[in-house]
């Protein structure tokens, strides 16, 4: 049994739960007095459950039942499994309430539990999944005796991967309505071992750069209150022990399966303990629970690695590929697409698109994606969002004609939408000005000249769904790029009463999930790619609906090294939308070799974002070769184990990463020399992830090397000259 419950272990600790994955254990204790739930252990797998002695309840003076005089001292130092606020625990709390009388404190104590095989889904929320033989779940029911508030803490352990998922469901079992003012999904109270916090930060065109800072006294938080997971911060944090690198050291990671406001905190307390929490951001959140009402908090994915950040990455990659990503394209190669955004921006018509498609199909590209600008009066980005009718001036003969023509070329067809938005200059806004999110009487803040639709309103959601579905039903559309180009502000909804306005942000995210869930149900064959001004809603929540997400509007090969390094730290390469774009690059003005652009985009979904009819001939001539490269390596890239070999963010000269097949018979390493270095024409790199006892041949070379040698003594990348140069090093087992 992967989850065990042991009783009568010590006079102070009534019972322990021991949760095991293949290589990790997680242990929770139930204190005998008042049934507080305490966190005992998370780390390498243990073979014994006698751990009650490490829970700090023996310090007699601290136990409330023995010494109620110092109850606050107990509450403020005990390692809580799911801490509640207001009664004396002054660290970050996981749950807060306001009763009908305006009171705030609560205490959640163990009542009962249930252990089952398999895993239930979460109501209205994305969540990881597993069959009965793949995972075991535990539900611990806790209760606040005064208010009758119940919290069900859910845990699932997986048999094939070292992941524990957590979530919390809150039920108002009292007689009075109450407000939830915060409800986080996970907490880790552990001894502080001098941790450093790894997190991901950025901006538009600079998403998910890695940051590592020491954890110290005071609270460190990573958060978004933008209504989406955001360009700026990411719903992820890992704590690592000092000296931890890609291959060594301990890592505790939390990743949030959610696409809206979030907060991750870590703090070191005066007792040399740390508390790490993750959940929906409490700012702007207040959820009314009527008697009998329930609130489901989203899921957190937890990973412990004792082999550095690399193992954490590979664990998360496997987990997302096998237990979160769904649908037709879950394990399938994606068609190589060409997107017309950077090729034409708004200046296109049927003729231009067909010319691009024709040339692209001859080169082996498999799908044309028509980006922004095909609908309403959308001649620029100032208008028409919400008017999802084909602009026949641009597309004479309509959408079906264009799609059929593209299909005749042997290509699939994809389309761009930004369904959650409304332009003030649109027929939709003129008909329904109240459909935009707004605070009555206040001039709304525009971003890219657009407002956000209030999809928390049923009629708006229904209209939004139909607008998209109607287009998808009208032609053979096989791919959708679902964009979201501004953050939320000016929160106000005509449908929510004052006592419910604090529910808006979460209801908005639920509406997005409902829209995408419905779309994938009606059109299950679609390849959905989420996008948000590049990668502002790149999170595990969206991954549940779309197997790939546009990673960044910055497709410059060099900028992408950092963006893709941060993204691949926690996401499989199969999820990372990456294209070869035009040069000089539209975002940074840099010119990089076409070959390098292809190599970097290969570590993602692969596609093109340029006008193939207008690029230099020598670049165009390279496309069939790149197409062949994609077909040759994509299975390996999509399914293999990812190893970070060297980081340009750290060394400022070169980047190197590899993908190794699960059976270790084949590997592909990508080496990019960002800047040429004087008097330095070769560089030794140490491959990772190979079988030390297997002999490998580097493609194009005669010599055979032992895996052990390639990893310990390394491999020399020679003849390096020039900036932005890249190499693919493909190695295969020799029998
Ligand atoms: C966003 C996307 C781009 C493109 C434009 C269109 O910025 O990230 O790829 O689709 O919108 O307006």
């Amino acid at each position: 049994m992967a989850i065990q419950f042991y009783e009568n272990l010590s006079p102070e600790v009534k019972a322990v739960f021991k949760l095991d994955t293949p290589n990790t254990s997680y242990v929770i204790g139930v204190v005998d007095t008042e049934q507080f739930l305490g966190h005992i252990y998370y780390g390498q797998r243990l073979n014994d459950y006698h751990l009650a002695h490490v829970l700090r309840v023996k310090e007699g003076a601290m136990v409330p039942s023995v010494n109620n005089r110092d109850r606050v001292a107990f509450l403020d130092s005990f390692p809580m499994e799911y801490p509640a606020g207001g009664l004396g625990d002054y660290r970050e709390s996981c749950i807060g309430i306001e009763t009908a009388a305006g009171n705030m404190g609560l205490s959640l104590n163990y009542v009962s539990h249930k252990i089952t095989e398999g895993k239930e889904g979460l109501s209205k929320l994305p969540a990881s999944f597993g069959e009965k033989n793949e995972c075991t779940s535990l539900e611990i029911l806790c209760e606040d005796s005064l208010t009758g508030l119940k919290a069900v803490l859910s845990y699932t352990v997986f048999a094939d991967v070292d992941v524990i998922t957590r979530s919390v469901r809150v039920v108002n079992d009292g007689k009075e309505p109450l407000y939830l003012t915060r409800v986080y999904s996970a907490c880790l109270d552990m001894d502080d071992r001098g941790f450093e916090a790894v997190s991901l930060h950025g901006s538009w065109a600079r998403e998910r750069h890695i940051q590592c800072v020491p954890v110290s006294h005071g609270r460190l938080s990573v958060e978004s209150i933008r209504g989406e997971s955001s360009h700026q911060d990411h719903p992820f944090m890992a704590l690592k022990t000092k000296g931890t690198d890609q291959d060594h050291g301990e890592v505790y990671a939390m990743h949030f399966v959610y696409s809206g406001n979030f907060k991750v905190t870590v703090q070191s307390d005066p007792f040399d303990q740390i508390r790490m929490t993750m959940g929906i951001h409490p700012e702007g959140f207040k959820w009314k629970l009527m008697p009998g009402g329930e609130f489901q908090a989203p899921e957190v994915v937890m990973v412990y690695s004792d082999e550095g950040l690399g193992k954490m990455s590979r664990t998360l990659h496997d987990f997302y590929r096998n237990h979160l990503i769904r649908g037709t394209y879950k394990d399938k190669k994606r068609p190589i697409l060409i997107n017309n955004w950077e090729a034409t921006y708004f200046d296109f018509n049927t003729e231009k698109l067909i010319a691009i498609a024709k040339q692209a199909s001859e080169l082996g590209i498999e799908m044309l994606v028509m980006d922004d600008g095909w609908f309403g009066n959308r001649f620029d980005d100032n208008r028409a969002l919400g008017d999802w009718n084909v602009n026949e001036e641009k597309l004479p003969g309509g959408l079906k004609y264009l799609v059929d023509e593209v299909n005749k070329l042997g290509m699939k067809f994809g389309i761009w939408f930004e369904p959650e938005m409304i332009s003030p200059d649109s027929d939709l806004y003129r008909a329904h000005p109240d459909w935009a999110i707004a605070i009555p009487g206040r001039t709304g803040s525009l971003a890219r000249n657009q407002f956000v639709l209030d999809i928390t309103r049923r009629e708006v959601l229904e209209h939004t769904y139909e607008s998209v579905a109607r287009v998808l039903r009208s032609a053979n559309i096989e791919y959708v790029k679902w964009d979201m180009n501004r953050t939320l502000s000016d929160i106000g909804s005509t449908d929510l009463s004052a006592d419910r306005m604090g529910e808006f942000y979460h209801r908005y995210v639920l509406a997005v999930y409902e829209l995408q869930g419905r779309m994938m149900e009606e059109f299950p064959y679609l390849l959905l790619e989420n996008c948000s001004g590049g990668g502002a809603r790149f999170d595990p929540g969206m991954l549940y609906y779309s197997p790939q997400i546009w990673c960044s509007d910055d497709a410059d090969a060099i900028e992408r090294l950092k963006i893709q390094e941060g993204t691949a730290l926690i996401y499989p390469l199969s999820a990372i939308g990456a294209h070869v774009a035009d040069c000089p690059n539209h975002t940074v003005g840099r010119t990089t070799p076409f070959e390098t652009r292809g190599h970097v985009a290969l570590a993602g979904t692969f596609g093109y974002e340029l006008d193939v009819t207008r690029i230099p001939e020598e670049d165009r001539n390279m496309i069939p070769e790149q197409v062949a490269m994609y077909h040759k390596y994509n299975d390996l890239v999509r399914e293999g184990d990812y190893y970070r070999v060297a980081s340009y963010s750290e060394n400022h000269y070169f980047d190197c990463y590899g993908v190794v097949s699960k059976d270790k018979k084949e590997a592909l390493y990508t080496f990019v020399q960002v800047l040429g270095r004087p008097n330095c024409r070769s560089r030794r790199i140490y491959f990772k992830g190979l079988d030390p006892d297997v002999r490998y041949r580097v493609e194009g070379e005669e010599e055979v090397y032992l895996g052990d040698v390639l990893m310990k003594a390394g491999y020399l990348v020679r003849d390096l000259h020039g900036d932005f140069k890249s190499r693919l090093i493909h190695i295969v087992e020799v029998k």
Side-chain angles (χ1 to χ4, degrees), residues 126-349:
S128 60
F129 48 81
E131 298 297 324
K132 284 212 162 111
N133 58 348
E134 293 175 324
C135 54
T136 309
S137 299
L138 163 68
E139 281 190 1
I140 305 178
L141 175 65
C142 303
E143 190 181 14
D144 176 51
S145 54
L146 181 68
T147 58
L149 188 86
K150 294 199 157 110
V152 180
L153 314 184
S154 298
Y155 301 77
T156 297
V157 294
F158 290 79
D160 62 337
V161 58
D162 289 311
V163 162
I164 300 177
T165 58
R166 292 175 66 169
S167 63
V168 176
R169 184 163 50 89
V170 180
V171 184
N172 180 3
D173 232 3
K175 295 193 170 54
E176 303 277 330
L178 53 78
Y179 292 99
L180 277 176
T181 52
R182 80 168 56 194
V183 52
Y184 286 169
S185 299
C187 174
L188 260 182
D189 273 9
M190 306 187 292
D191 282 352
D192 187 357
R193 306 215 296 280
F195 285 117
E196 296 166 334
V198 181
S199 52
L200 300 170
H201 303 267
S203 74
W204 173 76
R206 234 184 318 113
E207 295 91 337
R208 289 175 296 286
H209 285 203
I210 299 171
Q211 173 184 284
C212 181
V213 293
V215 174
S216 56
H217 295 295
R219 289 177 207 191
L220 170 73
S221 68
V222 175
E223 54 196 279
S224 165
I225 50 165
R226 295 166 193 268
E228 61 174 352
S229 40
S230 88
H231 290 109
Q232 289 77 7
D233 287 341
H234 198 77
F236 162 80
M237 189 185 279
L239 300 183
K240 66 181 183 73
T241 46
K242 270 206 191 84
T244 290
D245 58 17
Q246 281 294 318
D247 312 302
H248 313 95
E250 290 186 277
V251 184
Y252 293 88
M254 281 192 191
H255 202 183
F256 204 22
V257 188
Y258 190 61
S259 311
N261 292 350
F262 71 87
K263 188 171 182 186
V264 198
T265 64
V266 59
Q267 71 185 113
S268 171
D269 76 8
F271 306 101
D272 297 328
Q273 301 176 119
I274 59 110
R275 171 170 290 174
M276 183 189 196
T277 60
M278 178 175 268
I280 292 179
H281 205 302
E283 192 170 325
F285 174 85
K286 193 170 178 184
W287 196 276
K288 190 172 187 181
L289 277 186
M290 298 303 285
E294 290 193 6
F295 183 86
Q296 175 64 59
E299 182 166 276
V300 165
V301 174
M302 294 198 314
V303 173
Y304 166 79
S305 156
D306 57 356
E307 288 173 33
L309 290 165
K311 187 172 170 195
M312 172 202 74
S313 302
R314 290 184 289 282
T315 303
L316 285 169
H317 294 184
D318 283 344
F319 185 66
Y320 292 146
R321 286 185 293 211
N322 297 324
H323 298 285
L324 185 69
I325 293 172
R326 305 171 299 161
T328 309
Y329 283 95
K330 180 178 188 292
D331 302 312
K332 253 173 91 175
K333 205 194 253 183
R334 324 280 159 74
I336 301 177
L337 66 83
I338 184 161
N339 177 304
N340 76 307
W341 177 239
E342 290 197 8
T344 65
Y345 294 103
F346 294 97
D347 182 19
F348 65 86
N349 55 25

Side-chain angles (χ1 to χ4, degrees), residues 341 371-372 416 448 481 483 485 531 533-534 550 553 609:
W341 177 239
D371 211 280
D372 191 358
W416 178 96
R448 209 190 189 200
K481 178 175 172 188
D483 210 339
N485 275 316
C531 172
W550 184 228
D553 276 349
E609 186 106 6

Side-chain angles (χ1 to χ4, degrees), residues 531-606:
C531 172
S532 179
R537 210 162 53 180
F538 199 127
D539 56 63
M542 300 320 286
L543 215 52
Y544 183 71
Y545 301 94
S546 62
Q548 60 192 54
I549 305 175
W550 184 228
C551 181
S552 175
D553 276 349
D554 195 338
D556 171 67
I558 302 307
E559 292 302 311
R560 274 294 181 120
L561 293 177
K562 288 185 183 174
I563 299 170
Q564 291 181 192
E565 177 185 7
T567 309
L569 183 71
I570 50 181
Y571 295 98
L573 303 187
S574 64
I576 301 177
H579 296 166
V580 175
D582 206 2
C583 272
N585 178 268
H586 294 199
T587 314
V588 289
R590 184 179 288 133
T591 297
T592 51
F594 201 74
E595 184 182 44
T596 304
R597 283 177 260 161
H599 288 169
V600 174
L602 187 67
T605 55
F606 198 76

